[in-house]
């Protein structure tokens, strides 16, 4: 076999190895993104389980605040439905509604000293706040993985391998501008 044949064979082997490396990196990114989503899902499930306890505790004190409690319950249902359908876009919208509902609930709770003094309420409020913070941290982590995955799917030569093997981009978990802006506390307490 002439030298040109060996060189051609070597180049083909290098191209094949490079393609395998790209494929393996794309698989790793896909699984990292799925894992990051699973971490968010666990936190959402934990919060989902805590919210009925919070609402029930509040109901005992907040007889006249049914609208606020109903808003939290409805938003919780929206988050649950989006989670079950793995609809990241709908989850972002539902999360925003739930955050607004919880913010209103905690603001209204300020008008009920007995509720604020209730140890169950304080524990649940702290637990839900911790979960909210963890969800925000995990959302950032998830979006970092989504971005890394989606960038690789658009880069050459990765896009050739990605299209050949059917890799798909993921959706970012985004919240609307009103959900991430500073709340108007006067409106909440007014």
């Amino acid at each position: 076999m002439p030298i040109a044949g060996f060189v051609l064979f070597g180049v083909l082997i290098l191209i094949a190895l490079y393609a395998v490396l790209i494929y393996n990196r794309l698989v790793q990114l896909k699984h990292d993104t799925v894992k990051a989503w699973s971490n968010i899902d666990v936190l959402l499930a934990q919060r989902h389980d805590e919210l009925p306890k919070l609402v029930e505790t509040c109901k005992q004190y907040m007889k006249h605040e049914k609208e606020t409690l109903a808003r939290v319950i409805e938003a919780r249902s929206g988050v649950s439905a989006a989670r079950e359908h793995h609809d990241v876009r709908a989850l972002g919208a539902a999360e925003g509604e739930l955050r607004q509902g919880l913010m209103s609930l905690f603001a209204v709770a300020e008008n009920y000293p007995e509720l604020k003094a209730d140890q169950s309420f304080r524990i649940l409020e702290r637990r839900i706040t911790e979960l909210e913070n963890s969800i925000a941290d995990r959302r950032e982590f998830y979006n970092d993985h989504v971005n890394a995955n989606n960038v690789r799917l658009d880069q050459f030569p990765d896009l050739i391998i990605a299209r050949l093997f059917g890799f798909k981009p993921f959706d970012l978990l985004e919240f609307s501008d009103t959900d991430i802006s500073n709340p108007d506390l006067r409106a909440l307490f007014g």
Side-chain angles (χ1 to χ4, degrees):
M1 192 189 237
I3 295 248
F6 283 119
V7 171
L8 181 60
F9 182 71
V11 169
L12 290 176
I13 293 293
L14 287 175
I15 290 172
L17 288 174
Y18 188 61
V20 168
L21 288 173
I22 291 172
Y23 176 83
N24 287 340
R25 180 62 183 141
L26 291 172
V27 168
Q28 182 66 45
L29 283 168
K30 180 179 88 170
H31 287 284
D32 286 347
T33 304
V34 169
K35 179 181 173 189
W37 174 255
S38 294
N39 290 337
I40 291 173
D41 199 44
V42 166
L43 293 170
L44 292 173
Q46 289 175 0
R47 185 186 59 193
H48 183 81
D49 294 342
E50 296 292 336
L51 288 175
K53 297 174 196 170
L54 178 68
V55 169
E56 195 54 43
T57 300
C58 291
K59 276 183 182 178
Q60 297 172 14
Y61 295 95
M62 304 169 87
K63 307 256 188 267
H64 305 291
E65 305 295 342
K66 292 183 193 262
E67 183 179 314
T68 303
L69 294 172
R71 184 175 175 192
V72 170
I73 292 168
E74 184 178 318
R76 175 182 175 259
S77 296
V79 169
S80 179
R83 274 185 54 231
E84 288 174 17
H85 292 95
H86 303 285
D87 186 345
V88 176
R89 291 180 189 187
L91 180 65
E95 275 291 308
E97 290 177 30
L98 183 58
R99 279 181 168 53
Q100 291 294 326
L102 285 172
M103 205 164 42
S104 295
L105 179 66
F106 292 144
V108 168
E110 294 292 326
N111 297 328
Y112 295 87
E114 307 88 26
L115 175 61
K116 289 294 288 178
D118 186 270
Q119 183 163 348
S120 295
F121 176 80
R122 288 195 323 257
I123 290 169
L124 289 166
E125 181 181 32
R126 184 175 57 246
R127 174 74 177 136
I128 289 172
T129 301
E130 289 169 357
L131 286 168
E132 291 293 317
N133 292 335
S134 295
I135 289 167
D137 290 341
R138 288 292 158 186
R139 176 181 156 247
E140 182 178 344
F141 186 69
Y142 169 77
N143 283 344
D144 286 344
H145 281 288
V146 167
N147 187 54
N149 180 74
N150 293 350
V151 166
R152 288 295 297 256
L153 294 180
D154 288 339
Q155 289 179 331
F156 183 83
D158 297 27
L159 70 95
I160 295 169
I161 303 297
R163 289 180 183 163
L164 185 65
F165 289 99
F167 286 90
K168 302 285 184 215
F170 289 91
D171 289 328
L172 292 170
L173 180 54
E174 299 178 299
F175 300 124
S176 71
D177 291 340
T178 57
D179 297 331
I180 57 176
S181 64
N182 289 331
D184 182 4
L185 295 178
R186 284 187 296 252
L188 288 173
F189 287 104

